[in-house]
Amino acid sequence: KRVPFSEAADCWLKFRKARWASDTLKEKLKRVHNVVSVFQIDVCDMNHEILEHFFVSLNHLHPKSRNHFREVMRGILNYSVDRNWLDKDARQRLDSLLKNEFAPTAAPNIFTPLQFRSILSNADYELLPMIAIGGFTGARPAEIRRLRWDNIWGRKSSVELEAKQTKKRKRRLIERLPVLESWLEPYKFKTGAIWERSEGCYNTGFNKLKSS
């Protein structure tokens, strides 16, 4: 069956989006928009030459970014095979282009206890909980932005990250350390979202703290 690549991509998104957190969905939407603008063809006409040309055009990106596009393309094409919009053998001939390439990662910046205490001490009232929770639980900033105060104080001795709030959609319970409770004592009776502003506001504030 001939189905436009754009339609296949849209169907795949609708099928998968309930499994992604909101910020993950935004990133997927951007990448799908990019690939749809390139592949103005029926999905059954996808071939090695067309796909290779696309990835060559991404050579200016970091390997990790190219792998994100590979993930999207694998999803759309595998979905198309399942619905008989793309021949299985044709999909297999694309494997060499869709396998992730090695993507070296930079060494993480690790704060000393003294540096971390200084950052906490200089953080403003809104930013401090984000930094404290991240530092003492290991939760990702994107995960913390989805948390509510009842995730912090709702259980006797644990911070609860619900499945819908975590990157991998798996619920986690993390010990609520006394040191974290100490820093968050002024917020003991707060309700609602822990972070009510945008991701950009968080990044700007945290970067200023690190450089001060």
Side-chain angles (χ1 to χ4, degrees):
K1 180 180 178 181
R2 283 196 167 272
V3 172
F5 181 86
S6 58
E7 183 179 332
D10 185 57
C11 290
W12 174 72
L13 271 177
K14 290 177 180 176
F15 176 71
R16 294 284 302 182
K17 67 179 182 180
R19 308 180 192 186
W20 297 321
S22 59
D23 51 346
T24 302
L25 177 58
K26 288 179 183 177
E27 292 302 316
K28 300 287 186 185
L29 286 170
K30 290 178 184 177
R31 293 182 191 119
V32 168
H33 175 76
N34 286 339
V35 297
V36 165
S37 68
V38 171
F39 298 115
Q40 302 290 319
I41 58 174
D42 291 337
V43 70
C44 64
D45 291 330
M46 182 68 68
N47 61 40
H48 193 282
E49 182 181 6
I50 293 171
L51 192 58
E52 182 178 44
H53 181 74
F54 170 67
F55 282 115
V56 167
S57 74
L58 301 181
N59 279 343
H60 63 288
L61 298 180
H62 187 276
K64 184 176 181 180
S65 296
R66 291 196 292 271
N67 286 341
H68 286 316
F69 278 102
R70 288 186 173 93
E71 179 187 10
V72 166
M73 291 301 299
R74 285 196 302 267
I76 296 170
L77 297 178
N78 289 342
Y79 182 89
S80 298
V81 169
D82 290 342
R83 277 143 190 82
N84 295 318
W85 300 341
L86 176 66
D87 181 73
K88 186 176 180 179
D89 290 338
R91 163 63 184 85
Q92 289 177 341
R93 288 194 288 272
L94 303 175
D95 274 347
S96 62
L97 296 172
L98 294 173
K99 289 179 180 178
N100 283 354
E101 62 185 290
F102 175 66
T105 56
N109 292 323
I110 300 176
F111 298 118
T112 66
L114 187 61
Q115 287 173 325
F116 187 53
R117 183 179 182 85
S118 175
I119 288 173
L120 286 170
S121 298
N122 289 300
D124 62 29
Y125 184 81
E126 285 185 301
L127 198 56
L128 189 146
M130 287 285 298
I131 298 171
I133 294 167
F136 295 120
T137 69
R140 301 172 177 87
E143 293 175 329
I144 304 170
R145 287 194 296 272
R146 300 178 199 128
L147 295 181
R148 301 178 65 81
W149 283 107
D150 55 346
N151 294 118
I152 305 299
W153 304 116
R155 304 184 68 88
K156 184 177 180 181
S157 59
S158 301
V159 173
E160 179 186 20
L161 280 73
E162 302 170 43
K164 65 182 180 182
Q165 297 166 332
T166 65
K167 180 179 180 179
K168 298 186 177 180
R169 296 309 222 191
K170 292 183 179 180
R171 177 175 176 265
R172 302 204 307 270
L173 291 178
I174 304 171
E175 182 183 1
R176 193 174 65 236
L177 297 172
V179 65
L180 176 59
E181 294 183 351
S182 176
W183 281 102
L184 296 183
E185 182 65 28
Y187 308 84
K188 190 82 180 237
F189 300 105
K190 280 187 68 66
T191 59
I194 289 174
W195 183 254
E196 298 179 337
R197 305 179 70 185
S198 68
E199 177 183 356
C201 288
Y202 165 75
N203 291 335
T204 298
F206 187 46
N207 288 334
K208 283 183 179 179
L209 274 175
K210 289 190 297 182
S211 60
S212 62

